[in-house]
Amino acid sequence: MNASSALGAVTPSPLARRNPTVKLAILFIVSLALLFVFDPVTPGLLYLLGLAAVLGFARIPLRTLALAHLPFVGFALGILVVNALSRPGEVLVDLPPIRVTVAGLLVGSALALRTMAIGILSIGFIGTTDPVSLMTSLHQHARLSARVTFAVLAGYRMLQQLPREWQVIRQAQSVRAPLRSDGATRFGIREFGRAAFTLLVVSLRRGERMSQSLESRGLGLGARTVWRPVPLGPADWLLLAGTLGVLALVIVGVSRLGLGLGPGMLL
């Protein structure tokens, strides 16, 4: 299960009313800043602050939030284990064949917490952002071309229809499929491959028809109007400034305490 499938529909919340382009910019800037941080304290603090913000302003149910965490937790644990067991340095635990080093544990925990910090921000972004509003906002405020935004929206609509198409294909196959001894429909590797190939062909044909439809309507040849404009107001700028201020405060504060580590830890 991935984060997007766990989150589902966007629920009304204070964070959901903020401009999608601003939220995407915040996610990008924080992720970029964390690329140059290799201490566990900074990403750990940012994760806790991000978790508090998502719980307080995104109104995502706790169960949904926990399920959306699963991919990031699994990836973070993998990073931690690989670095702890593979990096050279002062040995902390030596139980052959397990050998954990101090540097590996430090770098691994930093990268794992970085994954969690970016993960909680991604969960908050996905859980409070409507895809249509995102593409409309990128077209309005980020000056993304109409050819790109409308094509992405068309592709998104196709992705939404894939589960229903799969169900229809499976129902059609089950009518002709032989039954097992217990009366259930047989669905093995061969049947799965046929259904997947059929879904691929149907999607390609639908994509071709959609591209022809967009081209016949002159997509990208001139200026396009927006049916439902996405507002960009002072509250959005305040969110951006406040988040960047907190980010700078955490990084500078950790550095002043002597806990900050840079890319030199990888050497």
Side-chain angles (χ1 to χ4, degrees):
M1 178 181 294
N2 53 35
S4 59
S5 61
L7 290 171
V10 176
T11 56
S13 65
L15 197 56
R17 293 193 291 269
R18 301 283 63 84
N19 188 277
T21 301
V22 172
K23 292 186 289 186
L24 183 62
I26 290 173
L27 177 60
F28 175 77
I29 293 172
V30 174
S31 302
L32 183 63
L34 286 176
L35 289 178
F36 303 96
V37 175
F38 289 89
D39 65 271
V41 179
T42 302
L45 288 175
L46 291 176
Y47 169 75
L48 293 178
L49 292 173
L51 180 61
V54 170
L55 290 175
F57 301 104
R59 294 178 182 172
I60 299 176
L62 290 177
R63 183 178 181 275
T64 303
L65 186 62
L67 290 176
H69 264 78
L70 292 180
F72 300 104
V73 171
F75 187 65
L77 288 177
I79 292 177
L80 176 61
V81 171
V82 169
N83 281 273
L85 298 179
S86 62
R87 286 194 175 276
E90 181 183 353
V91 178
L92 183 63
V93 177
D94 192 4
L95 297 174
I98 299 176
R99 181 176 175 272
V100 179
T101 63
V102 176
L105 191 61
L106 187 62
V107 174
S109 60
L111 296 179
L113 288 172
R114 176 199 295 177
T115 301
M116 296 303 299
I118 297 176
I120 189 60
L121 295 179
S122 302
I123 293 171
F125 173 75
I126 296 174
T128 61
T129 305
D130 177 65
V132 177
S133 299
L134 172 62
M135 299 312 300
T136 304
S137 177
L138 289 175
H139 176 59
Q140 281 185 258
H141 308 295
R143 299 296 186 266
L144 200 62
S145 67
R147 183 182 296 272
V148 174
T149 53
F150 286 97
V152 171
L153 282 177
Y156 174 73
R157 293 302 187 192
M158 287 186 58
L159 288 176
Q160 284 184 316
Q161 295 173 357
L162 285 183
R164 180 178 175 274
E165 292 291 341
W166 175 264
Q167 184 178 7
V168 171
I169 292 171
R170 285 296 305 131
Q171 289 175 346
Q173 288 183 338
S174 62
V175 173
R176 303 185 303 269
L179 300 180
R180 297 184 302 189
S181 58
D182 57 358
T185 304
R186 180 179 302 172
F187 187 62
I189 297 179
R190 181 178 299 179
E191 289 77 15
F192 179 84
R194 290 175 178 174
F197 180 75
T198 304
L199 181 63
L200 175 63
V201 173
V202 171
S203 300
L204 289 175
R205 290 177 177 175
R206 177 168 294 177
E208 183 181 4
R209 292 195 300 268
M210 189 173 295
S211 64
Q212 292 175 352
S213 176
L214 293 174
E215 185 177 359
S216 66
R217 286 167 172 77
L219 178 64
L221 296 180
R224 311 291 300 192
T225 58
V226 177
W227 179 35
R228 293 179 178 177
V230 179
L232 177 63
D236 300 304
W237 293 112
L238 183 62
L239 174 64
L240 178 61
T243 305
L244 296 183
V246 171
L247 174 64
L249 183 63
V250 170
I251 294 177
V252 173
V254 172
S255 299
R256 290 290 180 86
L257 293 174
L259 301 175
L261 299 175
M265 283 296 300
L266 297 179
L267 302 177

